[in-house]
Amino acid sequence: MNGLRVIPTVSHGQERLYVCRTDGRNIAWYDREAARINLLSDDEREGVLEALGPFLTGPVAVGPPPVPTPAELARLALHPDDDLAPNRPGEALIVSLDRDPGPPHRLRPDPRRRALTAEAAVGEALDRLDGAGWHTLHSIPLPGGDRVHHLAIGPGGLFAVHTVYARKQRVTVADPMVTLGRRDPEPLLRRVRATADRASYALTAEVRPLLALHAPTDVNITAPLRAVRVLRDTEVESLSRTGGVLKPADVEALHAMARDRGTWGRV
């Protein structure tokens, strides 16, 4: 056994068999009706085929998930309320602060304002990638009150970017734990990966998790990271040097799908 689990689901009348790692992350799914196995990473091909072997009833196609069809792109004619493209970095925080600014005098700074500072800095850096063939969506709402802080889509693939305010703090990363200054460690990378998995499910494409740290004094990564990247906010523009994953047409198609609020209502 390779430790992979097969979980059957039915969504919108379609039956799918998801292949998950022991930590719950989806790495592939089998669409019976289309007779196709969609792989999020070709490195997992052998293990996925072994896990799905007992469920296959005939020849199947195996490969990366197909990009949206022209019919799916008809959703570009979105109602303004359903179009996420105009969202500013930290849009949800901006709205929250407008509705409830909090008391004028606080013993400690409002954590929402610090979070907004971080999301604004990272979001502006990601927006500067536009000239290199990238699109970035900000503050994507998910069911249950969570958010994708930033979704970067470009030649180097898709990245779900989670931003943390770390100004003038030493950051220690021991996967999945992240320690900011003298605070207690938190399993933050687990949350970052879970959010990327939800985005991957919504878009039926591989979405990589990325943790962006705003203005830390030092970042110490104690061991190799598992399927996640950790960057300072001053380093996120390095994504422009990645490529070879998505063609320009694929970038546009996925951006069109991701900007539709309805895409995220079922994850």
Side-chain angles (χ1 to χ4, degrees), residues 21 24 32 43-44 49 62 92 156 159 164 183-184 186 191 195 229 235 237 242 255 257-258 267:
R21 293 191 179 129
R32 288 183 185 272
D43 295 340
E44 306 280 358
L49 291 176
V62 182
F159 293 87
V164 170
R183 299 183 195 176
D184 292 334
E186 295 184 17
R191 177 183 174 188
T195 300
R229 297 181 68 174
E235 298 171 331
E237 289 184 66
T242 63
H255 178 245
M257 185 177 185
V267 297

Side-chain angles (χ1 to χ4, degrees), residues 15 17 35 53 59 61 80 102 105 153 155 167 171 188 222:
E15 181 182 3
L17 297 176
H105 303 290
I153 309 169
R167 184 173 178 79
V171 180
L188 185 57
T222 62

Side-chain angles (χ1 to χ4, degrees), residues 122 161-164 210-214 229-233 236:
V122 172
V161 182
H162 186 91
T163 303
V164 170
L210 191 157
L211 176 64
L213 302 167
H214 172 61
R229 297 181 68 174
V230 176
L231 299 176
R232 301 169 185 253
D233 53 354
V236 295

Side-chain angles (χ1 to χ4, degrees), residues 134-158:
W134 290 73
H135 295 298
T136 302
L137 297 168
H138 307 288
S139 204
I140 298 173
L142 300 176
D146 206 351
R147 290 183 298 127
V148 179
H149 291 180
H150 316 278
L151 180 71
I153 309 169
L158 296 96

Side-chain angles (χ1 to χ4, degrees), residues 78-101:
L78 293 175
H79 186 281
D81 290 344
D82 293 327
D83 190 357
L84 299 175
N87 278 10
R88 298 161 290 181
E91 183 75 28
L93 295 168
I94 295 171
V95 172
S96 175
L97 287 164
D98 284 345
R99 291 175 177 172
D100 178 19

Side-chain angles (χ1 to χ4, degrees), residues 44-61:
E44 306 280 358
R45 178 185 291 257
E46 185 174 340
V48 166
L49 291 176
E50 179 182 346
L52 286 173
F55 304 93
L56 303 181
T57 56
V60 295

